[in-house]
Every structure is written in C-alpha cells, then in structure tokens.
C-alpha cells in the first residue's frame, strides 16, 4: 500500500510530531506509516482523513502487489 501522508503533512505545514498529537499516536507511528513499515488501522486512517479533509482513498491506495 502506498500513501501521500508526507505530502499531505507538507501542505498543512505539520511536523510528524504535530500530526501525531492531533490523532493521538506517537511520532514514530507517523514515520512508520510514511515509510510503509506500518499499515494503519481503519480508525487511524479515518482520523488522518479527517485531519486532511480528504477521503481515505485519496491518502492511501493499493499497489499491484497488494
């Protein structure tokens, strides 16, 4: 799965830590999502969607290997 989390953060000028605080996770969790080491839960994906004001599938998308 790929994501545009880093780009979305840059658009809102948020650090990993600031985004993490907004959704109640650690900065390391945000880093792990951005580097594709962690696939977020549905709840976490929806929280990210709300912060960015975009649908989940605008932030996360499946790759052919998924």
């Amino acid at each position: 799965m790929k994501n545009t989390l880093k780009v979305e953060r840059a658009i809102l000028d948020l650090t990993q830590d600031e985004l993490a605080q907004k959704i109640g996770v650690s900065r390391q969790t945000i880093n792990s999502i951005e580097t594709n080491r962690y696939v977020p839960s549905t709840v976490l994906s929806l929280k990210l969607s709300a912060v960015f004001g975009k649908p989940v599938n605008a932030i996360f998308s499946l790759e052919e290997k998924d």
Side-chain angles (χ1 to χ4, degrees), residues 8-19:
E8 299 298 339
R9 269 195 317 103
I11 290 169
L12 294 182
D13 195 30
L14 291 172
T15 65
Q16 287 182 344
D17 191 52
E18 290 168 336
L19 178 56

Side-chain angles (χ1 to χ4, degrees), residues 7-61:
V7 173
E8 299 298 339
R9 269 195 317 103
I11 290 169
L12 294 182
D13 195 30
L14 291 172
T15 65
Q16 287 182 344
D17 191 52
E18 290 168 336
L19 178 56
Q21 288 178 21
K22 283 182 177 284
I23 61 171
V25 297
S26 69
R27 182 202 59 78
Q28 291 88 347
T29 298
I30 299 299
N31 181 270
S32 293
I33 295 169
E34 287 184 358
T35 57
N36 295 314
R37 290 185 311 228
Y38 176 71
V39 176
S41 67
T42 303
V43 172
L44 189 50
S45 297
L46 289 169
K47 287 181 179 183
L48 289 165
S49 172
V51 168
F52 299 125
K54 295 185 175 183
V56 171
N57 63 348
I59 301 167
F60 298 97
S61 58

